[in-house]
Amino acid sequence: MEPNLPDVVLWSIPAFVLLTVLEMVSYRLHPDEEAAGYEAKDAATSVTMGLGSLVFDLLWKIPVVAVYTALYELTPLRVPVLWWTVPLMLLAQDFFYYWSHRGHHVIRILWACHVVHHSSRNFNLTTALRQPWTSLTSWPFYLPLIVLGVHPAALAFCSSANLVYQFWVHTERIGTLPRPFEYVLNTPAHHRVHHASQGGYLDRNFGGILILWDRVFGSFAAEGERPVYGLTKNITTYNPFRVATHEYAAIARDVRAAGSWSERAGRVFRGPGWQPPGTGASVPAEASARSTAGQAR
C-alpha cells in the first residue's frame, strides 16, 4: 500500500511567497550596502527557473518512478512508514543527498545540471528557487534506499522535506545562529559559504539539512570573509534556456574539440576544471567546480 504522505512542496508555497516578500521589504526598510540583495532581472530569472523545474520534474519523474517501483517490487525488504521510521528515513535521505550534492560538484556532466543553482551573483530567497531543468541526474544516488525497502513515495516525501528545509538558508538577513544549531544543522551562514566563489570556500558545505556530514567527511568550511556569490567565471545572460543549458553546450564544444576518446571522456566525466595532460596543469575538481568552460554570452 502506498504511504499517504502530504505534498510538502505544495503546502510550502504560501510560506515561500510570504518569506520572499518579507525579505524584499526588509531590504527596503533596512538596506545593507554589503549584501548582494535583490536585482529585478536576476530574481525574475530565478523564479522562472523554479517554475520551469516543476514542469520538467514531472517529465523526469515518469522514468524515475518506473525504475524505483520495479526495484522496490524486487527487494524483499520493507520499511514501514511509522512515526519513528520517518525521522530515520529523513536522516538516511539527507546522507545520500550529501553524496549526490558533492557528486554534482566534482563530475562535470552532473555539474552541468547543478551549475544552474549557483549561477546567480545574488543570494536571497529567490536563489533557492533557481533550480535545474535536468534533474534526472540525481536519482541513482538514492537507489540504496529503495533496495533497503524505502517506498518510492516515502523517498519522495523525504526529498521534498529536504528541499523545503533548504529554502530558508538562502538569505543574508540571518547571521550566525547559536553554536549548537550551527554545529549540527545547515544554516544560512554555512550555505552562504557553499554559494561563494572564493577559492577557500569552493566546494564546501554540501549538507542539506545536517552540516554534520561535511564535518565528518572533511568538506566543512566556516564563514569568515564576506562571500562573493556566483561562478568563478560568471555567465552574463538572464535567458532561462541558456541558464539551464550553458554548461551542456560548453561540454559539447569541448568534446568536439577533443583530440582523443580519453580526452572526450575526461571532458564529460572528470571535474569541471580538468585539462588533459600536456595542455597545462589540471585544476583539482573540488577547487574548480564553479568554473565553466565556454560560458554563454
Side-chain angles (χ1 to χ4, degrees), residues 100-120 193-206 219 228-235 246-248 250-251 267-275 282-293 295:
S100 172
H101 195 179
R102 188 164 180 168
H104 278 71
H105 274 250
V106 300
I107 299 172
R108 191 180 181 192
I109 191 63
L110 302 185
W111 171 245
C113 164
H114 187 60
V115 67
V116 170
H117 186 60
H118 286 272
S119 61
S120 174
V193 168
H194 180 70
H195 275 257
S197 60
Q198 292 105 311
Y201 285 165
L202 286 178
D203 304 315
R204 295 291 180 262
N205 301 356
F206 298 109
S219 54
V228 176
Y229 304 108
L231 307 172
T232 57
K233 295 180 181 178
N234 285 298
I235 59 175
H246 69 269
E247 180 65 5
Y248 291 106
I251 291 174
R267 295 295 190 183
V268 175
F269 298 110
R270 288 181 179 268
W274 179 81
Q275 295 292 331
S282 176
V283 182
E286 292 202 16
S288 64
R290 303 290 163 74
S291 178
T292 52
Q295 294 297 319

Side-chain angles (χ1 to χ4, degrees), residues 7 42-43 63-64 88 94 106 111 113 145 193 212 235 265-266:
D7 188 330
D42 179 84
V64 171
L88 294 177
D94 195 56
V106 300
W111 171 245
C113 164
L145 290 177
V193 168
L212 289 174
I235 59 175

Side-chain angles (χ1 to χ4, degrees), residues 22-292:
L22 289 175
E23 186 182 48
M24 288 179 175
V25 171
S26 77
Y27 276 108
R28 289 284 186 179
L29 298 179
H30 301 285
D32 183 347
E33 293 183 358
E34 293 185 343
Y38 278 83
E39 195 276 320
K41 288 184 178 180
D42 179 84
T45 299
S46 294
V47 172
T48 301
M49 297 305 300
L51 293 173
S53 73
L54 294 177
V55 176
F56 284 101
D57 281 353
L58 288 176
L59 298 176
W60 303 136
K61 282 179 181 177
I62 296 173
V64 171
V65 169
V67 172
Y68 280 173
T69 301
L71 190 59
Y72 181 77
E73 292 300 325
L74 290 173
T75 181
L77 303 176
R78 290 292 181 268
V79 177
V81 179
L82 302 171
W83 68 268
W84 62 272
T85 60
V86 171
L88 294 177
M89 287 188 284
L90 282 167
L91 181 66
Q93 189 276 335
D94 195 56
F95 172 78
F96 286 105
Y97 171 84
Y98 169 86
W99 290 108
S100 172
H101 195 179
R102 188 164 180 168
H104 278 71
H105 274 250
V106 300
I107 299 172
R108 191 180 181 192
I109 191 63
L110 302 185
W111 171 245
C113 164
H114 187 60
V115 67
V116 170
H117 186 60
H118 286 272
S119 61
S120 174
R121 278 177 271 184
N122 294 338
F123 190 75
N124 53 57
L125 292 177
T126 64
T127 307
L129 306 177
R130 186 176 284 229
Q131 296 294 321
W133 293 357
T134 55
S135 55
L136 189 63
T137 57
S138 298
W139 68 271
F141 290 90
Y142 302 102
L143 287 174
L145 290 177
I146 302 296
V147 172
L148 290 172
V150 174
H151 193 283
L155 175 57
F157 169 80
C158 293
S159 297
S160 297
N162 198 314
L163 184 66
V164 168
Y165 176 88
Q166 292 185 60
F167 177 78
W168 77 282
V169 301
H170 291 82
T171 184
E172 292 187 279
R173 304 306 274 176
I174 298 175
T176 303
L177 299 179
R179 188 173 180 180
F181 295 98
E182 294 287 345
Y183 190 82
V184 175
L185 297 174
N186 185 19
T187 65
H190 298 326
H191 208 59
R192 286 192 290 268
V193 168
H194 180 70
H195 275 257
S197 60
Q198 292 105 311
Y201 285 165
L202 286 178
D203 304 315
R204 295 291 180 262
N205 301 356
F206 298 109
I209 297 175
L210 300 178
I211 203 66
L212 289 174
W213 311 124
D214 290 281
R215 296 185 185 278
V216 170
F217 297 110
S219 54
F220 175 75
E223 186 178 37
E225 64 176 310
R226 197 174 194 105
V228 176
Y229 304 108
L231 307 172
T232 57
K233 295 180 181 178
N234 285 298
I235 59 175
T236 58
T237 179
Y238 296 108
N239 184 317
F241 293 98
R242 296 179 74 178
V243 171
T245 62
H246 69 269
E247 180 65 5
Y248 291 106
I251 291 174
R253 287 193 293 269
D254 286 345
V255 168
R256 283 198 302 268
S260 66
W261 283 106
S262 62
E263 181 182 347
R264 293 184 183 98
R267 295 295 190 183
V268 175
F269 298 110
R270 288 181 179 268
W274 179 81
Q275 295 292 331
T279 59
S282 176
V283 182
E286 292 202 16
S288 64
R290 303 290 163 74
S291 178
T292 52

